[in-house]
Amino acid sequence: MMGIDRRGAINTALAYVLWGLLPVYWKLIEHVSSTEILLHRVIWSFLFVLLLLGFTSGLPQFLSEARQYMKVGRTWIYLALASTLISINWFVFIYAVNHEAILQTSLGYYMNPLIAVLLGYIFLKERMTLLQSIATIVAALAVLYSTLSHGQIPWIALILAFSFGLYALTKKLLQIKPLYGLALETLFMLPCALIYWFYLMVGGNSSFVGVSWFTTLVLCGAGVITAVPLLLFARGAQRIPLYMIGFLQYIAPSLAFILGVFVYDESFSRTQVITFSLIWIALFLFSFSYTKWGSKVRMRQVALKKY
């Protein structure tokens, strides 16, 4: 790891490992509805972040910066959009894990870097290299093949990829510190979460009480399991090169893939083999575009355009 901050690489890798193992956590409470898990993830994430800011003496600074953010009109729009997108992402992920579709979550997060490049091209006018364009086309072919073979669009994978890609794009426009961003986003979602929790409690349908102490603890722990990987990533990603983050991000979907096939025994058909193979080819091309050899291809591409 010569020339690379070892601690930064370890923190970033550990964040992706925790994200990759997240299905194991949600499987512990698969008897709880996805909507109720989501509401507890919002509530306890917000409370955990506030406690963390309080213990680290960062709460006054957060409140001060939050007031500054709120003075800018479009910040409200971006925060509302970010909150909506991450809520969709969290809900679909939890739903997929608890409905034997972990492989689709893996596929979605394998697609995510390709979707991010595509969104950057569409909304931020960022250039796509020749290899990135080919990689995007190959990924599109994978989705098309899966759709034609199964007779239905792999909607879980697509929603996860696009919701997180659009969320990352919104965060780029917001430019808020990760921990502050999580606090504000969960704050936006908090009223709906509390209202729905009250509705469940009044109707006697809440799993938080009356099921088991273990279920209660796991639901409370949703805040920790949400915030800790984000903190590790925020600390690590600032200390290592972007290309290393690009390679490390494949840890999470790879672990999800292993869990889905070998631990939870999800069906891995011929169609899925071909779909994942095409995605892996696309990711190889995408990753290659960031190597020094990929840079040479870009330089040749630019040189050809001059003529």
Side-chain angles (χ1 to χ4, degrees):
M1 251 184 230
M2 197 171 175
I4 294 173
D5 189 295
R6 186 182 294 272
R7 183 175 292 179
I10 291 172
N11 282 341
T12 307
L14 187 55
Y16 281 118
V17 167
L18 290 174
W19 278 323
L21 295 176
L22 205 51
V24 177
Y25 193 85
W26 301 133
K27 280 287 186 182
L28 296 174
I29 46 174
E30 59 183 337
H31 56 281
V32 181
S33 73
S34 303
T35 312
E36 187 173 0
I37 294 174
L38 176 63
L39 80 84
H40 282 289
R41 190 173 187 181
V42 169
I43 293 168
W44 300 109
S45 293
F46 177 72
L47 291 175
F48 180 72
V49 169
L50 280 189
L51 283 172
L52 206 57
L53 288 170
F55 281 122
T56 57
S57 302
L59 192 56
Q61 186 181 353
F62 163 69
L63 293 173
S64 174
E65 292 198 24
R67 282 193 290 269
Q68 294 300 317
Y69 295 142
M70 294 302 103
K71 289 178 182 178
V72 183
R74 64 180 180 182
T75 302
W76 286 89
I77 299 171
Y78 287 148
L79 275 173
L81 184 58
S83 300
T84 302
L85 289 167
I86 200 61
S87 297
I88 292 169
N89 186 273
W90 285 357
F91 175 78
V92 172
F93 184 86
I94 294 165
Y95 175 88
V97 169
N98 291 342
H99 287 79
E100 287 72 52
I102 294 175
L103 281 177
Q104 277 226 45
T105 71
S106 173
L107 181 63
Y109 286 115
Y110 272 132
M111 291 167 59
N112 188 63
L114 303 171
I115 296 298
V117 170
L118 181 62
L119 291 173
Y121 174 76
I122 295 170
F123 292 103
L124 302 178
K125 308 303 179 187
E126 294 177 351
R127 288 187 175 183
M128 288 177 69
T129 66
L130 178 62
L131 286 174
Q132 289 171 348
S133 299
I134 294 171
T136 304
I137 292 169
V138 172
L141 289 173
V143 174
L144 180 62
Y145 174 79
S146 177
T147 301
L148 294 175
S149 299
H150 283 301
Q152 64 178 33
I153 298 172
W155 63 272
I156 288 175
L158 288 173
I159 289 176
L160 287 175
F162 274 98
S163 62
F164 197 80
L166 288 167
Y167 171 73
L169 178 64
T170 307
K171 294 281 281 186
K172 189 171 183 178
L173 296 171
L174 266 172
Q175 294 185 335
I176 294 177
K177 294 177 183 178
L179 195 60
Y180 292 0
L182 181 61
L184 289 171
E185 287 151 19
T186 50
L187 178 61
F188 259 75
M189 295 183 271
L190 193 61
C192 291
L194 289 173
I195 290 169
Y196 186 63
W197 191 16
F198 178 76
Y199 167 76
L200 291 177
M201 294 286 282
V202 169
N205 298 315
S206 174
S207 299
F208 188 74
V209 291
V211 175
S212 69
W213 62 267
F214 180 76
T215 298
T216 302
L217 285 177
V218 174
L219 287 171
C220 289
V224 178
I225 206 69
T226 299
V228 168
L230 187 67
L231 288 172
L232 288 169
F233 179 79
R235 288 186 178 183
Q238 293 175 347
R239 304 170 70 167
I240 62 174
L242 188 62
Y243 76 85
M244 174 160 278
I245 297 173
F247 286 117
L248 290 175
Q249 72 182 334
Y250 300 135
I251 292 174
S254 297
L255 284 173
F257 177 85
I258 291 167
L259 287 171
V261 175
F262 298 106
V263 178
Y264 297 112
D265 200 27
E266 289 187 10
S267 173
F268 193 53
S269 63
R270 178 177 174 274
T271 298
Q272 289 170 310
V273 170
I274 295 173
T275 301
F276 272 90
S277 296
L278 286 170
I279 290 293
W280 288 329
I281 290 169
L283 290 175
F284 172 78
L285 293 171
F286 175 81
S287 301
F288 184 76
S289 71
Y290 286 99
T291 64
K292 61 180 180 179
W293 297 282
S295 299
K296 290 179 182 177
V297 174
R298 285 199 300 274
M299 289 171 65
R300 287 174 188 166
Q301 185 183 353
V302 171
L304 285 172
K305 282 184 177 180
K306 290 181 180 179
Y307 295 98

